Amino acid sequence: MNELMRKLLFLPEQGSAYATEVDRLHFFVITVTMVSAVAVAVVALAFFVKYKRRSERQTTPHVEPKAIHEVLFIAVPLTFFLLWFAIGFPLFVKLQTPPKDAMDVYVQGKKWMWKFAYPGGPSGVDVLRVPAGRPVRLLITSRDVIHSFYVPDFRLKQDAVPGRYSQTWFTASAPGRHQVLCAEYCGIGHSAMLAEIIAMEPAQYDAWLAETRRSTVATAQDSPEDRVDPRTSLSEQGRLLSGEYGCFKCHTVDGTRHIGPTWLDLYRKAEPLQDGKSVVADEAYLTESMMDPAAKIVAGYQNVMPTYQGRVPGPEIAAIVEFIRSLRTDAVRPEPSKGPVYVPVPGYDPTSAR
Amino acid sequence: MSQSLATTPPAPADAPAYNPRNYLNAEAGIASWLLTRDHKRIAVMYLVVTTLSFALGGFYAMLIRIELLTPGPTIMSAMSYNRMFTLHGVVMIFLFMIPAIPGVFGNFFLPLMLGARDVAFPRLNLLSLYLYAIGAAIAVYGMIHGGADTGWTFYTPYSTTTVTKVVPILLGAFVLGFSSILTGLNFIVTTHTLRAPGMSWMRMPLFVWSIYATSVIQILATPVLGITLLLVAFEHAFGWGIFDPARGGDPILFQHLFWFYSHPAVYIMVLPAMAVMSEVIQASARKNIFGYKAVAFSSLGIAFVGFFTWGHHLFTSGQSTLDAGIFGVLSMFVGIFTAIKVFNWTATLYEGAVKFTTWFAYFCGFLFFLVFGGMTGIALATVSLDIHWQDTYFVVAHFHFIMVGSVIMAWLAALHYWWPKMFGRLYPEGWGLVSAVLIILGFNATFIPQFLLGNYGMPRRYYSYPERFWPLNVASTAGASLLAFGFTIILVYLAISLRWGKVAGPNPWGSRGFEWDTLSPPPTENFLENPVYTRGPHDYTEAPEGAEVTHAT
Ligand SMILES: [Cu+2]
Ligand SMILES: [Cu+2]
């Protein structure tokens, strides 16, 4: 039944369990739509046949609806609409909430290519290799205009917005290839901004990753503007870049207080703000603080940091954020927020089999 | 009612009269048209300019469909293609769909239905036509002189950094906004102040209710679009950092501002279509509407709730999960008002005396597009389904069904239904039915493949595409050719009927809408005597007096 409906509606293959779930809602909605449309048409046709005009002087009675008619006209469709929403919205929440054990990949859209970077290296262009059966969290941004990361087989889409990170996740159910398309119009090369996700057997993937990291030949296809060796791990790149941008003039990495808040254990910490609110120092806040430092000042600190808007390209922001994430005293810590439940796995060892 | 296809039978001796002293021949010369304050003449001029715009937008549409006939380059470069879909969207939305029905049929029939001599501010009415012409001229200048490649949505920071000349087109749309605001203001004041004796609010034709609701949205939402477009123009021209993050701006802010107007704008286009159809169904069924109050107040409900759903365009933008949920639920509620109308229209046929005419055929097409366009809209509002469909051809097909399908059906229904009133002559019914069938089939053949393309995963605004999308694109282009053919037939026979059509008489359809109470074409002063209303519109409980209805068989 699932396969028949999928083919009838020209839906692409279901590359993840989530895709199958969403399709089920799709089939439900389309079936009810068809049935109700046919019902309206049949009623209209029946009225047309029964009440055909017989003479041009024909009169008709004045008909007023009873209240029950209008109530039914509202209640019946509303019940279905809200039922669909009750099924559809939790699915969306699921898509917005990556599981805790997801592995991270940084994705950057750029006219007109997709760049992928694993926290421990390597990085690459237009091909993303992932292990089948393991959840993968994507942290998506853009270097220039808005793009949108679209994987039809996973029923997944997330805009890549310059100056901020957004996240989504998927678990490929089996090894295979899945096309990535850019869905937000971005210029001449928009329709050529294609990439591919290759889901591999976990063992094969681990071997591939270890091999790539070991090899001294640069597999990175980064553009020449990269200032740091793209073969090193992302957090190592972030450390070098932070030095280069002068971050350490104000921020320490050992927990001592300086002009700005320390970076040690900063990631996912609930920071009290000047205006009495508080904010969780997640990827979004860290990025925002680089781009627009004055927006949310941590209580007890001065608004002295210059903006790095336009000075730090997207992948370098990713590297610095990754470096901040790596700075932690211990791995186990109390969960500070009810936001997307995610605690990174420190020292995540991709070579260890699960 | 039997008429052979191409020939117009010679008028019999007792043919209904063509009103010899009417608004069309009351004054002669170009100046008498350009300086007129008569709402009917302004409506006719709107008909000419919006039809030209429709032809231009349709021309762009055909070029787009031809380009997409093959997966690779077909007839133009990627840059030309990007300009083409931008121009298609801008022309169809700002120059055709927003002004067409209010500008033509609202102007012509709103005063006639209220028993008024003219709109409240006749000079302002003429000004809004001129603003339309100026805005259109600026936009067309922008198209010839560079042509923007941003899409009609002008998403930042693409639109503020592109090398193409977006500023003239933005300014054109800005000026058009003023035209829209002035028309809306005029209709609201007319409805409040110029109702004839006996015309209480609950006796107003449903056409007036819907146009009134449209006008409210036009006045409240259009200024936001104007400001937003100006900010984009400033950022593009002077490098202000409002929306571009590289200059300290916020690109998502633009999306909020833009859709705050552009979602209600859907109802600026669809409510007038519903206005027309509420009249057409009553005249077709020769019966009063099933639930007058439900239909009237649902128009106001759409206008109100429509302002709180804009965030459903931002589900993939990184908007918070809670926001997405709220906007999703509110979008469900706006769908309910449309459902109420659909059921009440259908129930109007009950106990009626239904006749199948060209305009009833368009009503059937309208109902079909509204039901499927509306239900796919509800599906999109479930949030998780939207994630797959956002920015794909599914969305393109959805809004072409709900907006374009319903507006075109209503525009054609209105043209055919009111043609005898406006110009005093009948169109050929046989050709009318042939072209109606062609257009409804053509529209489905164009956009049903696009729904499937969206399911299949083809994003919109793609110049080239992977080969698996090829067959459905060919089907869509074939459907578009059918559409173009249908429109050409209509243009030809309507033009011919202007001069050689059979004389219609005051009320060829036996309709009890108030606008039919006067002569065809109406005299400049609308009514020979001041009308007084003692009953509601479309009251068919009594037989017509005398042998007034002439082409009874
Ligand atoms: Cu792109
Ligand atoms: Cu909307």
Side-chain angles (χ1 to χ4, degrees):
Chain A
M1 189 63 193
N2 176 44
E3 273 306 285
L4 177 72
M5 285 294 275
R6 190 180 69 74
K7 293 229 167 82
L8 269 180
L9 293 169
F10 280 80
L11 283 162
E13 78 172 273
Q14 293 157 341
S16 63
Y18 172 80
T20 314
E21 273 184 88
V22 167
D23 282 1
R24 212 172 290 146
L25 174 62
H26 187 157
F27 303 151
F28 180 25
V29 174
I30 194 80
T31 309
V32 175
T33 302
M34 289 293 178
V35 169
S36 57
V38 168
V40 170
V42 166
V43 170
L45 194 71
F47 282 164
F48 176 71
V49 171
K50 180 143 188 241
Y51 302 112
K52 222 169 163 184
R53 195 176 300 176
R54 297 180 304 276
S55 125
E56 286 301 316
R57 297 178 57 79
Q58 193 177 342
T59 60
T60 60
H62 183 89
V63 177
E64 282 285 333
K66 296 196 187 74
I68 183 71
H69 294 137
E70 303 294 356
V71 169
L72 281 178
F73 287 172
I74 295 171
V76 173
L78 192 62
T79 310
F80 276 104
F81 294 179
L82 292 180
L83 176 64
W84 292 333
F85 186 79
I87 300 170
F89 187 62
L91 279 172
F92 176 70
V93 174
K94 193 166 167 187
L95 193 64
Q96 296 286 90
T97 319
K100 292 182 183 189
D101 59 343
M103 62 171 262
D104 283 354
V105 180
Y106 287 91
V107 179
Q108 193 206 179
K110 167 184 175 188
K111 285 179 185 170
W112 287 279
M113 61 177 79
W114 292 104
K115 294 173 107 183
F116 303 103
Y118 301 87
S123 50
V125 175
D126 288 349
V127 178
L128 171 62
R129 287 168 190 274
V130 295
R134 285 188 212 160
V136 179
R137 178 169 82 143
L138 304 174
L139 292 152
I140 303 172
T141 189
S142 162
R143 180 177 283 193
D144 36 48
V145 299
I146 300 177
H147 303 277
S148 192
F149 188 85
Y150 178 31
V151 193
D153 291 353
F154 297 152
R155 314 289 186 266
L156 182 92
K157 190 178 287 124
Q158 183 65 49
D159 290 2
V161 183
R164 56 170 83 175
Y165 271 92
S166 47
Q167 62 171 10
T168 188
W169 71 280
F170 65 87
T171 306
S173 34
R177 292 161 172 266
H178 307 283
Q179 193 169 43
V180 178
L181 305 103
C182 177
E184 184 63 62
Y185 171 69
C186 57
I188 296 179
H190 172 50
S191 58
M193 194 167 158
L194 307 174
E196 194 173 39
I197 293 178
I198 302 179
M200 307 166 78
E201 290 289 358
Q204 270 183 25
Y205 168 80
D206 293 340
W208 166 82
L209 193 67
E211 170 60 29
T212 321
R213 281 181 182 164
R214 241 194 325 271
S215 74
T216 45
V217 186
T219 49
Q221 302 155 42
D222 274 54
S223 47
E225 71 230 57
D226 285 316
R227 313 147 183 261
V228 286
D229 185 348
R231 279 163 296 171
T232 54
S233 78
L234 205 54
S235 65
E236 176 61 14
Q237 295 175 34
R239 195 180 63 79
L240 294 170
L241 288 164
S242 307
E244 223 172 288
Y245 284 115
C247 306
F248 299 136
K249 287 175 194 153
C250 303
H251 300 278
T252 67
V253 293
D254 58 1
T256 42
R257 192 191 157 93
H258 198 30
I259 299 167
T262 183
W263 283 0
L264 186 66
D265 284 335
L266 174 61
Y267 179 69
R268 295 225 59 85
K269 184 171 158 196
E271 288 273 38
L273 297 180
Q274 271 181 348
D275 58 7
K277 293 181 191 147
S278 82
V279 66
V280 176
D282 54 6
E283 289 85 355
Y285 175 70
L286 295 176
T287 309
E288 184 190 12
S289 296
M290 286 181 241
M291 299 302 111
D292 187 7
K296 289 173 190 145
I297 304 278
V298 177
Y301 290 93
Q302 296 296 311
N303 177 18
V304 290
M305 179 169 156
T307 175
Y308 285 81
Q309 187 82 59
R311 289 172 56 191
V312 188
E316 300 193 358
I317 299 173
I320 295 171
V321 169
E322 188 57 33
F323 172 56
I324 295 173
R325 283 177 49 176
S326 72
L327 295 166
R328 44 202 322 117
T329 42
D330 58 336
V332 189
R333 37 196 280 108
E335 187 57 33
S337 87
K338 291 199 216 74
V341 271
Y342 173 76
V343 174
V345 183
Y348 168 63
D349 183 10
T351 52
S352 72
R354 284 189 198 201
Chain B
M1 168 94 56
S2 64
Q3 280 178 352
S4 59
L5 282 186
T7 58
T8 5
D14 61 342
Y18 180 89
N19 176 23
R21 202 183 57 78
N22 58 55
Y23 76 101
L24 290 165
N25 60 17
E27 288 175 281
I30 295 285
S32 78
W33 280 87
L34 293 182
L35 297 176
T36 186
R37 275 162 289 158
D38 184 347
H39 66 103
K40 299 183 287 303
R41 285 188 156 206
I42 291 172
V44 170
M45 288 191 279
Y46 259 116
L47 179 60
V48 173
V49 288
T50 52
T51 305
L52 284 176
S53 298
F54 180 68
L56 182 66
F59 172 68
Y60 290 140
M62 280 319 292
L63 289 181
I64 292 171
R65 280 320 318 168
I66 293 169
E67 174 53 46
L68 291 176
L69 208 46
T70 65
T74 311
I75 52 165
M76 60 179 95
S77 68
M79 193 59 178
S80 314
Y81 176 78
N82 293 349
R83 286 178 175 144
M84 226 37 87
F85 69 68
T86 305
L87 300 182
H88 167 69
V90 168
V91 168
M92 282 303 200
I93 288 171
F94 294 111
L95 293 180
F96 175 69
M97 285 200 291
I98 289 177
I101 293 177
V104 181
F105 303 106
N107 257 324
F108 202 104
F109 291 105
L110 188 103
L112 279 175
M113 287 181 179
L114 293 175
R117 277 214 47 186
D118 206 320
V119 291
F121 308 116
R123 285 185 186 81
L124 209 58
N125 202 12
L126 186 64
L127 177 64
S128 64
L129 175 67
Y130 277 98
L131 284 176
Y132 174 90
I134 294 167
I138 298 174
V140 169
Y141 162 81
M143 291 169 202
I144 297 164
H145 202 266
D149 71 331
T150 60
W152 82 276
T153 47
F154 303 109
Y155 265 28
T156 55
Y158 188 82
S159 60
T160 59
T161 53
T162 176
V163 291
T164 56
K165 301 224 171 23
V166 285
V167 174
I169 293 189
L170 291 168
L171 290 181
F174 179 73
V175 173
L176 287 166
F178 277 93
S179 166
S180 179
I181 292 171
L182 291 184
T183 303
L185 185 74
N186 226 330
F187 288 166
I188 289 179
V189 178
T190 306
T191 309
H192 276 272
T193 60
L194 293 185
R195 281 173 289 127
M199 176 64 72
S200 63
W201 282 85
M202 285 299 128
R203 257 183 212 159
M204 286 195 325
L206 287 167
F207 180 82
V208 178
W209 273 106
S210 245
I211 293 285
Y212 181 84
T214 311
S215 305
V216 172
I217 311 177
Q218 279 178 317
I219 287 190
L220 294 180
T222 315
V224 179
L225 177 77
I227 294 160
T228 312
L229 294 184
L230 270 195
L231 289 177
V232 172
F234 285 144
E235 182 164 306
H236 191 272
F238 310 121
W240 294 7
I242 302 159
F243 302 124
D244 183 359
R247 288 175 260 188
D250 182 352
I252 304 297
L253 173 66
F254 171 83
Q255 297 183 16
H256 281 285
L257 290 173
F258 181 81
W259 290 112
F260 183 79
Y261 166 80
S262 294
H263 185 77
V266 172
Y267 305 116
I268 293 182
M269 300 175 233
V270 173
L271 275 171
M274 295 171 159
V276 169
M277 288 309 177
S278 292
E279 296 298 316
V280 162
I281 184 63
Q282 295 179 82
S284 292
R286 193 167 277 192
K287 211 184 114 285
N288 68 307
I289 192 92
F290 187 66
Y292 175 90
K293 283 188 183 144
V295 175
F297 291 131
S298 63
S299 293
L300 297 182
I302 286 176
F304 182 71
V305 181
F307 274 105
F308 303 101
T309 64
W310 79 88
H312 62 215
H313 298 268
L314 280 79
F315 287 158
T316 64
S317 71
Q319 184 187 39
S320 83
T321 312
L322 179 67
D323 281 4
I326 292 171
F327 283 121
V329 166
L330 287 171
S331 306
M332 301 284 177
F333 280 97
V334 90
I336 280 297
F337 293 111
T338 306
I340 294 174
K341 284 177 188 270
V342 168
F343 292 137
N344 277 295
W345 285 324
T346 312
T348 301
L349 298 174
Y350 172 72
E351 297 261 291
V354 192
K355 183 162 175 179
F356 203 89
T357 55
T358 304
W359 31 282
F360 186 66
Y362 285 121
F363 173 82
C364 297
F366 169 83
L367 212 58
F368 178 80
F369 294 132
L370 198 70
V371 167
F372 273 90
M375 291 297 268
T376 50
I378 294 296
L380 284 162
T382 58
V383 193
S384 51
L385 286 176
D386 177 71
I387 301 302
H388 179 56
W389 286 328
Q390 170 78 19
D391 277 317
T392 67
Y393 265 87
F394 189 91
V395 171
V396 174
H398 156 68
F399 72 71
H400 275 90
F401 256 54
I402 191 91
M403 268 164 41
V404 185
S406 63
V407 169
I408 286 181
M409 290 298 114
W411 189 60
L412 292 174
L415 261 182
H416 288 86
Y417 174 56
W418 281 317
W419 191 257
K421 178 53 65 188
M422 294 173 81
F423 300 105
R425 290 178 188 276
L426 289 167
Y427 62 88
E429 188 67 35
W431 282 111
L433 286 171
V434 167
S435 51
V437 169
L438 270 181
I439 285 177
I440 294 169
L441 282 183
F443 203 89
N444 280 307
T446 309
F447 293 106
I448 288 177
Q450 295 191 12
F451 276 117
L452 298 174
L453 275 173
N455 277 351
Y456 211 176
M458 178 168 168
R460 64 194 288 204
R461 296 170 175 170
Y462 261 32
Y463 168 64
S464 56
Y465 50 84
E467 256 178 43
R468 62 180 182 277
F469 301 134
W470 197 354
L472 286 169
N473 270 297
V474 172
S476 182
T477 301
S481 328
L482 213 58
L483 263 180
F485 185 53
F487 284 118
T488 315
I489 297 179
I490 297 181
L491 191 70
V492 170
Y493 73 65
L494 283 186
I496 291 175
S497 79
L498 268 184
R499 176 108 199 240
W500 292 283
K502 200 171 148 198
V503 170
N507 195 354
W509 315 126
S511 169
R512 301 277 172 87
F514 294 147
E515 72 277 18
W516 296 97
D517 288 348
T518 186
L519 301 169
S520 303
T524 302
E525 62 274 23
N526 285 355
F527 299 96
L528 297 179
E529 315 159 20
N530 287 339
V532 175
Y533 297 94
T534 53
R535 54 176 70 181
H538 294 286
D539 180 341
Y540 297 96
T541 48
E542 286 166 29
E545 303 142 22
E548 173 200 318
V549 179
T550 45
H551 7 230
T553 42

